[in-house]
Amino acid sequence: MGFGIYLYMPRTDQEIWQDILDGRETAWKNLVEKYKALIYTICLRAGLSMSDAADCFQHTWVSLYENRTRITDPSRLSAWLVTTTKREALRIRRRAAAMVDMEEDVQYADKALLPDELLEGLERQSLLENALKEIDPRCQKLLAEFFFAPEEKSYEEIASILGINSSSLGPIRRRCLERLKNKLIESGFPDVRKAEDEAL
């Protein structure tokens, strides 16, 4: 079958959040599924045990639920989750250290816990992975062959894998990259936010 382009309509954070505000039961599940890997990654990078990471995960979502009426910009949900998870992970580490009277380690943990650069990197990775999932499957496959394959392939090899003419590959790739860029903009991808702020 050829490499046709067709419409694919994913749910943005804004749309999922509106579903939550409208009381749709599946909306929370969709949002949790979208960001669970990001939250658990932050918890584990912060040095939490699996049980403490599960507590941190739960408290982060409870906090979002409790603050749901205060969220004014759903496109920044990923940033809110990153910040809240970091704070919750630090709280859990402090509590654990206090239980064994390790005040010096707590002072060290305060400084060492997930530098902002690492958190921003984790957020970018999560947003990129989610954006890739939200473009149509054929664009996913094309971009995977170009950018995520273990070995670099020629245009002819990629065209053969996708079942299209190699002369069509360049224009299709540009369209797929544009779709990915638009998804990243919708999600508030940090690099895009920074570029927009600098342009103002």
Side-chain angles (χ1 to χ4, degrees):
M1 190 165 88
F3 187 90
I5 298 294
Y6 57 90
L7 285 176
Y8 182 72
M9 300 299 291
R11 305 290 288 166
T12 65
D13 282 356
Q14 294 91 323
E15 291 168 333
I16 294 173
W17 193 249
Q18 189 57 54
D19 287 346
I20 286 171
L21 295 179
D22 292 343
R24 293 194 172 91
E25 292 182 9
T26 59
W28 276 109
K29 180 180 177 184
N30 293 339
L31 192 62
V32 169
E33 184 66 27
K34 187 172 184 178
Y35 287 113
K36 69 180 181 183
L38 172 63
I39 292 174
Y40 267 107
T41 298
I42 292 171
C43 292
L44 297 176
R45 289 285 184 95
L48 299 184
S49 66
M50 285 304 296
S51 61
D52 283 343
D55 286 344
C56 184
F57 182 87
Q58 182 176 356
H59 283 294
T60 297
W61 288 108
V62 168
S63 181
L64 180 59
Y65 179 80
E66 290 172 345
N67 288 281
R68 65 194 183 281
T69 58
R70 298 177 187 168
I71 301 295
T72 58
D73 185 3
S75 71
R76 301 275 302 169
L77 273 174
S78 64
W80 190 97
L81 289 167
V82 165
T83 301
T84 303
T85 303
K86 177 183 176 181
R87 289 176 181 161
E88 184 60 26
L90 180 56
R91 185 189 69 77
I92 290 173
R93 283 183 59 160
R94 284 179 174 154
R95 183 190 66 194
M99 289 174 66
V100 292
D101 196 29
M102 296 174 59
E103 295 179 359
E104 290 182 5
D105 284 349
V106 172
Q107 291 173 359
Y108 172 77
D110 286 355
K111 296 174 183 176
L113 178 67
L114 292 175
D116 290 340
E117 294 82 5
L118 177 56
L119 285 171
E120 188 174 311
L122 292 173
E123 182 189 3
R124 279 197 304 268
Q125 179 181 337
S126 174
L127 291 173
L128 177 58
E129 289 171 356
N130 285 326
L132 281 167
K133 291 175 186 173
E134 291 176 357
I135 61 176
D136 63 86
R138 293 179 181 179
C139 275
Q140 290 178 29
K141 187 172 182 182
L142 182 147
L143 295 177
E145 291 297 337
F146 268 105
F147 302 108
F148 303 107
E151 295 180 2
E152 187 174 347
K153 298 183 178 75
S154 68
Y155 264 52
E156 290 73 20
E157 290 173 314
I158 294 174
S160 176
I161 289 168
L162 299 174
I164 60 174
N165 190 301
S166 61
S167 63
S168 303
L169 194 54
I172 294 172
R173 185 179 96 149
R174 282 192 293 277
R175 286 196 294 270
C176 289
L177 284 170
E178 187 65 24
R179 291 179 181 189
L180 179 61
K181 177 185 172 185
N182 290 336
K183 288 299 167 191
L184 290 170
I185 291 171
E186 287 175 12
S187 69
F189 193 73
D191 290 344
V192 177
R193 290 198 300 259
K194 184 179 178 182
E196 289 176 343
D197 291 343
E198 291 173 351
L200 293 176

